[in-house]
Each structure stands twice: as C-alpha cells, then as structure tokens.
C-alpha cells in the first residue's frame, strides 16, 4: 500500500453502506467514527494499513510535512507505520475507518 489521497469527483457522494461495502471488498475491517469540531489527534502511527473515508464534514491530515484535507466522499490511504496527525474541521467529521492487517 502507498499513501494515497483520493478526492471524490463523482456525482452524489457514496452513502455509508456503499462505502463500507467497498472497503470490505478491499479487505478492510471497518468501523464508523465521528469527531467533534476542532478535535485534534497528535502525531502517531498504526501497525496496520488504514483507509479513512469521509461521510460528512471535513478533516485535515498532516503527513510528512504535507496537508491533506478530506471532505465528504474523499479517502486517505495510510500505509502501516505512517506518522500522521489530524484536525477535524469546524463542522466536525464523520468517517469510516478501514484497518487491514499488515503482513
């Protein structure tokens, strides 16, 4: 897996069940998460590959000096061990978190 910021460019943003089904097809274990406006996560990393798919609101991730702002429909794929921080936007953020065990 490589770091990838996938900006939604299609029509209607996928609903939760469609996004969840796609992540499961891609081999992720999936759960829903919500952050309050301005919620902040300090720099950290995970042992597993992670994919975050925003359902509503927005959140900005900081990775290696770059910023990735995700809005509804956008995805961020983070390989295992990628140090990242995040801050939810002024309207908060609701997203699916997919975790895939790193071999």
């Amino acid at each position: 897996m490589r770091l990838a910021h996938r900006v939604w460019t299609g029509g209607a943003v996928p609903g939760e069940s469609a996004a969840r089904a796609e992540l499961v097809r891609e081999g992720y274990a999936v759960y829903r998460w919500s952050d309050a406006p301005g919620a902040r996560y300090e720099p950290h990393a995970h042992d597993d590959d992670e994919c975050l798919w925003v359902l509503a609101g927005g959140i900005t991730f900081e990775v290696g000096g770059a910023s990735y702002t995700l809005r509804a429909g956008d995805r961020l794929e983070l390989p295992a061990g990628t140090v990242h921080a995040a801050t939810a936007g002024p309207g908060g953020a609701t997203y699916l978190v997919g975790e895939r065990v790193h071999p």
Side-chain angles (χ1 to χ4, degrees):
M1 172 186 246
R2 301 181 78 163
L3 175 74
H5 178 205
R6 301 183 190 277
V7 176
W8 182 256
T9 58
V13 172
E16 180 175 350
S17 59
R20 181 182 297 272
E22 178 61 27
L23 288 173
V24 168
R25 273 192 297 278
E26 294 175 14
Y28 291 99
V30 182
Y31 62 92
R32 179 185 170 130
W33 193 260
S34 291
D35 291 318
R40 171 100 178 122
Y41 295 92
E42 296 301 321
H44 65 284
H46 302 277
D47 293 334
D48 301 324
D49 291 336
E50 185 175 59
C51 181
L52 303 113
W53 194 330
V54 176
L55 301 171
I59 187 167
T60 298
F61 286 85
E62 302 289 332
V63 182
S67 293
Y68 303 93
T69 297
L70 284 70
R71 293 180 179 82
D74 296 349
R75 295 172 55 164
L76 184 65
E77 298 170 4
L78 297 168
T82 302
V83 176
H84 58 284
T87 304
T94 299
Y95 48 98
L96 296 178
V97 178
E99 295 176 332
R100 184 168 51 206
V101 175
H102 192 264

